[in-house]
Amino acid sequence: MKNKGRPMKKSDPPILVEASFERSATTLWKALTSLPEMKKWYFDMLPGFEPRPGFQTSFKVRSEERLFTHQWEVLEVVPGVSITYRWTFEEYPGASTSTFEVSGDEHRAHLKLTVRVQEDFPDELTEFTRESCKGGWDYFIHGNLKNYLSV
């Protein structure tokens, strides 16, 4: 998917994506941090995931003719409440953090995702525009995760 726009830079405001779910906060947290569940709505090729600081994983995703080796490192976890991980790509400069914050009760949950650019992304790739990033997160949160949790 090609998107025009400016590449994401450290000076940019964070990208925010929020959604509410008719499921418990515990169920939402599990969908965000349990490998078997993450594979059902997020990245099915994810080789491993543990919601603990210092955990690292990487996996490859192809976009048209380009390869993106996603590299994640979990930075901070407040169990049941929030998780932050650093997101880089082996083939390209740039880094961001994704913070997932869960609130709610046993009947309804709310997710707030905040993406902050830590290091500027390259100018020449449309995959690193703000529009592409926001569109990707909308796809995952408002599409895949919403559908997964409404089953």
Side-chain angles (χ1 to χ4, degrees):
M1 169 172 67
K2 295 255 182 202
N3 286 303
K4 299 212 183 277
R6 195 173 71 73
M8 296 185 300
K9 301 293 181 188
K10 188 175 177 180
S11 58
D12 291 346
I15 292 172
L16 299 175
V17 177
E18 296 191 62
S20 293
F21 303 89
E22 297 297 323
R23 299 300 295 264
S24 72
T26 302
T27 299
L28 175 57
W29 177 258
K30 190 174 177 187
L32 295 171
T33 59
S34 166
L35 180 62
E37 295 205 31
M38 293 169 78
K39 285 177 169 251
K40 293 177 183 170
W41 69 271
Y42 203 10
F43 289 102
D44 61 356
M45 74 291 288
L46 191 59
F49 190 80
E50 295 176 27
R52 64 170 175 80
F55 176 80
Q56 296 181 30
T57 191
S58 69
F59 55 97
K60 297 179 186 313
V61 175
R62 188 164 293 283
S63 173
E64 297 176 10
E65 71 282 358
R66 286 189 283 275
L67 182 66
F68 294 85
T69 303
H70 296 239
Q71 300 172 314
W72 292 354
E73 179 183 2
V74 177
L75 301 176
E76 185 178 328
V77 179
V78 178
V81 176
S82 68
I83 185 168
T84 300
Y85 45 91
R86 181 177 168 86
W87 200 315
T88 59
F89 301 91
E90 183 178 309
E91 299 83 1
Y92 306 101
S96 64
T97 57
S98 299
T99 300
F100 298 82
E101 297 173 87
V102 174
S103 59
D105 55 30
E106 63 273 4
H107 303 292
R108 189 165 172 79
H110 185 78
L111 171 63
K112 179 181 177 184
L113 168 68
T114 306
V115 178
R116 289 185 172 84
V117 176
Q118 305 296 317
E119 297 171 23
D120 292 357
F121 285 92
D123 293 343
E124 65 276 3
L125 298 180
T126 56
E127 289 89 348
F128 292 125
T129 63
R130 184 175 182 87
E131 295 78 9
S132 180
C133 182
K134 176 84 166 79
W137 283 116
D138 283 340
Y139 169 81
F140 280 120
I141 303 300
H142 293 291
N144 290 4
L145 183 58
K146 213 37 133 168
N147 291 338
Y148 175 66
L149 289 178
S150 51
V151 174

